[in-house]
Structures are given as C-alpha cells and as structure tokens.
Amino acid sequence: NISYNMDLAAVVLKAKESLVSRTAVTVGYGVRSNADYLLYHGFTMPREWSDLTVCTQYTMIELPLPPNLPSWKSRFLLHPYRFAVPACPNRKSTPHVLVGAARFIVATEEDVLQFEAQVMENPGLLMEGKKPEKDEKFLHHGAREALSIVCETESQPPVCKTPLSLESERAAWDLIKSQTLARVAQHVDSVEEDDRILVEDDAMGSLAVNQRHAVIVRREEKKTLQRWCAISVRTSNLLRSPEAVELIKVVRVPEDMKLGNDEPRV
C-alpha cells in the first residue's frame, strides 16, 4: 500500500506480505505518456519505450468554432473544444466524441431536416433516450427543433452520434483532418531530427538531463500525432471511395453486444 505521511513529509510504501531481506521493492507507474512521466514524476522513459507504447497514447485536437454560425445552432456552441483522441483507435478506444462534435459543427439545416425525416420512417435509428413525437407539429419542425431530436444538444460539446449524410460526414472528417494537419505543422523539427539529436547525445553527452527529457517528450508527441494523422487522412479519403455510402450506413448495434466505452448503440 502507498500513502503519504504528513509527519514524515514522505510517501510511505508498506508491503502486504513478508519479504526476504534485501528484496528489491518496485513501484509501477503504469503505461503513460512521457509528457505525464516528466510533468508529474520528473523522468522520461527511453525513446524505444515510445515506439512500443505509441498505441496506448492520446493526442489533443482542437475544433474551432466557425464564424457566422446560424442562429439555430450557435446557441449550443459556446467555445472551441479540445479532444484527446487515441493514436490507434480500436473498438475499446474510439474518437466518437470528437467525430460527433465535428458533425454538429458542420451540419447544415438541410442535413438535419433530412435526417429527421429518415428517423421518422425508422424510429429505431433514434439515439438512446430520444422518442419521435406524434403530433402534426413534428412534421413541420424548424432546424432548431429537429437538431435536438437527431443530435445531443444538452451535452457539452453538443454531438451528433450518427452520420447525417455522406456530404456532412465528409465535411466533418475534413474539419478533423485540417485541424490535425494544423497541429502537425506546429512541430518545426522532424522525428528524424530528434532521433539524430538523441543518438548524438548517446555518444557525446551534449544535452543537459532536462534537455534530453524534452527531446524525448516532443518526439513521442510527434509519433503519437502522426499515427492519429494517418487515421484522419485515411478516413477522409475513404469517404470519397465507392464504398463510402455503405461505410456510413446508420444501423443499430444488437442489444446483446456489450459496449465498452460509451459508444453510441446507433
């Protein structure tokens, strides 16, 4: 057990069982980013560790608010949003919140009204907790009312959990791709240059300890961001392939399939 002792001003480790004399006691920090290790613990793991663990890491992508937002949507979008997205998305770690927010940002009035009509024909495509209204007024909704039916306007950021149309999905991923590329462009030096600096330091010891830490951290950030960049560019390209219509078909995931990360069932 690990606890902090105020009187000793120290972290105290207590073994749960008897140990042989001179047994080494180790503490696991978990698999985390080198930025976390450096910021909170004062060390970094070697760059080989970054290459082995890149798929456990996340990178940050910001989605700015576009100028001149239409009034039916602007009241829900309060400020730019930042998202931690997985470097290597999988079924347990998906970027669905970022994608849902991007859909909301780029959605047009036509997208929203057309998708509303689609879910009226097939109510099973509505999000969890959403119920179609039965009165005549529903047939003549404006975009603002329709938006609250097909997307989640109560959450921050507001999100559309399903593709609204092929063009809308392309626009959402184009926004994600452009913001990813903008983030990539903020790094001046390449990963190869960081590798050269570290190899030179291995041989000559030319860097101070914290300088070496900083190079390792920025190298890992670039590697992580590059992996996510490949995902966003590939997805954007897939949405322009002949298979695009089938790829974005909205379906309901069977109830007996367990969802592990709050992914939308629709």
Side-chain angles (χ1 to χ4, degrees):
N1 292 322
I2 303 174
S3 61
Y4 184 76
N5 188 307
M6 296 290 290
D7 295 330
L8 297 176
V11 175
V12 178
L13 280 67
K14 294 183 179 180
K16 295 182 179 180
E17 56 190 48
S18 297
L19 300 175
V20 177
S21 177
R22 297 185 178 277
T23 298
V25 179
T26 61
V27 178
Y29 287 82
V31 179
R32 294 155 62 186
S33 69
N34 265 321
D36 272 2
Y37 289 145
L38 181 58
L39 183 61
Y40 297 110
H41 305 294
F43 69 89
T44 59
M45 297 293 285
R47 57 191 180 277
E48 292 80 10
W49 173 262
S50 296
D51 297 340
L52 288 171
T53 64
V54 65
C55 280
T56 69
Q57 308 300 342
Y58 288 74
T59 193
M60 297 301 298
I61 298 297
E62 182 171 305
L63 295 183
L65 301 187
N68 304 318
L69 275 169
S71 59
W72 57 271
K73 188 165 55 170
S74 61
R75 64 190 293 258
F76 302 110
L77 292 164
L78 306 180
H79 50 73
Y81 297 98
R82 300 187 76 217
F83 303 88
V85 293
C88 311
N90 56 60
R91 293 183 69 174
K92 292 186 177 181
S93 179
T94 74
H96 58 272
V97 179
L98 167 76
V99 178
R103 289 174 182 144
F104 193 94
I105 288 173
V106 304
T108 66
E109 190 169 356
E110 182 181 12
D111 292 330
V112 172
L113 293 174
Q114 283 185 352
F115 194 77
E116 181 195 43
Q118 185 178 341
V119 298
M120 280 306 296
E121 292 182 7
N122 184 359
L125 298 183
L126 280 171
M127 295 184 302
E128 300 296 318
K130 300 282 187 180
K131 294 182 179 179
E133 298 180 28
K134 301 295 185 182
D135 61 22
E136 273 305 304
K137 180 178 179 298
F138 185 75
L139 301 177
H140 307 286
H141 271 165
R144 180 181 296 184
E145 291 84 359
L147 193 64
S148 64
I149 292 169
V150 302
C151 301
E152 285 196 358
T153 55
E154 307 85 4
S155 64
Q156 285 299 323
V159 294
C160 300
K161 290 191 172 181
T162 57
L164 301 180
S165 69
L166 178 56
E167 285 304 316
S168 181
E169 193 72 356
R170 286 172 177 166
W173 275 96
D174 284 348
L175 173 62
I176 293 169
K177 181 179 74 171
S178 67
Q179 291 305 115
T180 298
L181 294 175
R183 175 79 193 282
V184 170
Q186 291 177 6
H187 289 289
V188 177
D189 295 328
S190 65
V191 171
E192 291 73 23
E193 174 63 11
D194 288 338
D195 284 335
R196 186 197 65 76
I197 292 171
L198 292 170
V199 168
E200 182 179 280
D201 185 59
D202 290 339
M204 303 175 60
S206 52
L207 298 177
V209 172
N210 280 340
Q211 286 177 323
R212 183 178 178 88
H213 286 330
V215 174
I216 290 174
V217 167
R218 78 180 185 191
R219 177 187 182 275
E220 181 174 274
E221 288 178 343
K222 293 172 192 173
K223 295 277 285 187
T224 304
L225 187 56
Q226 284 178 353
R227 290 298 295 262
W228 168 251
C229 186
I231 295 291
S232 62
V233 170
R234 182 169 183 267
T235 304
S236 184
N237 290 341
L238 275 173
L239 290 170
R240 286 169 171 79
S241 70
E243 299 82 23
V245 173
E246 187 65 25
L247 286 172
I248 68 153
K249 180 187 286 185
V250 180
V251 297
R252 176 172 285 275
V253 176
E255 298 297 328
D256 59 356
M257 181 180 289
K258 186 176 180 180
L259 302 180
N261 195 33
D262 296 325
E263 305 96 323
R265 190 166 290 279
V266 175

